[in-house]
Amino acid sequence: MPTRVHEFAWPDRVVVGTIGLPGARTFYLQVRAGTQIVSIAMEKEQSALLAEKIDEILDQLIAVEGNPFSVPTGTPVELVDNDQLDAVQEQFRTGAMTLAWDPTTAQLVLEAYPITDVDDNDASLDEDGAKAPEMLLVRMPVGTARAFAKRTREIVGAGRPTCPLCGYPIDADGHICTFPEA
C-alpha cells in the first residue's frame, strides 16, 4: 500500500505551537501552504531537539567559505511568526523524524513519520477503507528554518519553571521536592 505523503515544497507557514496549559500542553508541528494545513502532534523533547539540530545544520552552512547559501545568523524580522496555531486537526502523532540538507534547492528537508502501533490507529484510511501509512515532508528555505528554530525554542522554554532545589518542574498548584534516592 503506498504511503500518503503530506508534502510542502515552499510552505507559507511552518511552526511549532501548543494547545493546553504548561504541564499539560500538546505540541504540534503545523505546516500550511495555501488552504492545505497539516498538524502533527510531537513530544516537547522532539520539538526541542528538532530546533537544536536545525540550528546546528544552519551554523555549519554559515561556516562554508563565502556562505554560498545566504544562511542568516539570526531570524530575519520579516519571518518572525508569533501567531497562534491555525485550527488544529491532528493528522498523526510523530514517531521518527529525519532532517537533511538539499543543496540543489538550498532547503532543509524534514520528514516526520507516525508512531507505529500494532493496531496502527494513526494511519489514515485509503479509498477502500483500509489503513494507509502516511508521512509529512517539509522543505524549508534557510530563513524560514532559522525562524522556525527560534520560535520552537521559545515555545519549549515557555513551559513550567524548574525547581532550583530538585530540578523537577513546578506545577501551577504547587510543588513538593522529590530528591533522587542515593
Side-chain angles (χ1 to χ4, degrees):
M1 182 177 307
T3 299
R4 180 176 177 207
V5 179
H6 306 281
E7 185 171 0
F8 294 85
W10 292 93
D12 299 328
R13 183 178 199 218
V14 55
V15 296
V16 166
T18 61
I19 295 177
L21 298 173
R25 297 185 297 172
T26 301
F27 284 73
Y28 290 97
L29 168 60
Q30 188 172 79
V31 188
R32 180 183 69 212
T35 59
Q36 179 188 12
I37 300 174
V38 172
S39 303
I40 61 173
M42 301 175 66
E43 294 297 325
K44 178 180 180 178
E45 293 78 14
Q46 287 175 308
S47 303
L49 187 58
L50 180 58
E52 178 184 324
K53 294 301 177 186
I54 286 173
D55 275 337
E56 281 180 18
I57 290 171
L58 294 175
D59 291 345
Q60 289 172 1
L61 291 168
I62 286 176
V64 174
E65 187 175 332
N67 190 6
F69 302 109
S70 301
V71 178
T73 55
T75 302
V77 68
E78 66 275 9
L79 297 177
V80 172
D81 182 346
N82 293 321
D83 294 340
Q84 296 291 320
L85 292 172
D86 294 320
V88 173
Q89 182 174 354
E90 184 178 315
Q91 197 66 41
F92 59 81
R93 179 162 286 284
T94 308
M97 290 189 293
T98 65
L99 188 60
W101 171 249
D102 182 351
T104 62
T105 62
Q107 292 177 306
L108 280 169
V109 181
L110 169 65
E111 294 178 351
Y113 301 88
I115 294 174
T116 53
D117 292 335
V118 174
D119 61 358
D120 215 10
N121 288 330
D122 290 328
S124 61
L125 298 178
D126 68 10
E127 56 276 350
D128 299 325
K131 300 255 183 189
E134 59 187 323
M135 69 168 288
L136 175 65
L137 173 62
V138 181
R139 296 174 164 277
M140 287 185 269
V142 292
T144 300
R146 188 65 87 183
F148 173 88
K150 179 181 186 291
R151 175 190 167 116
T152 300
R153 283 192 314 278
E154 290 169 355
I155 294 288
V156 168
R160 296 175 290 173
T162 303
C163 176
L165 300 175
C166 70
Y168 288 104
I170 300 172
D171 292 322
D173 59 347
H175 172 75
I176 297 175
C177 288
T178 53
F179 295 98
E181 305 262 335

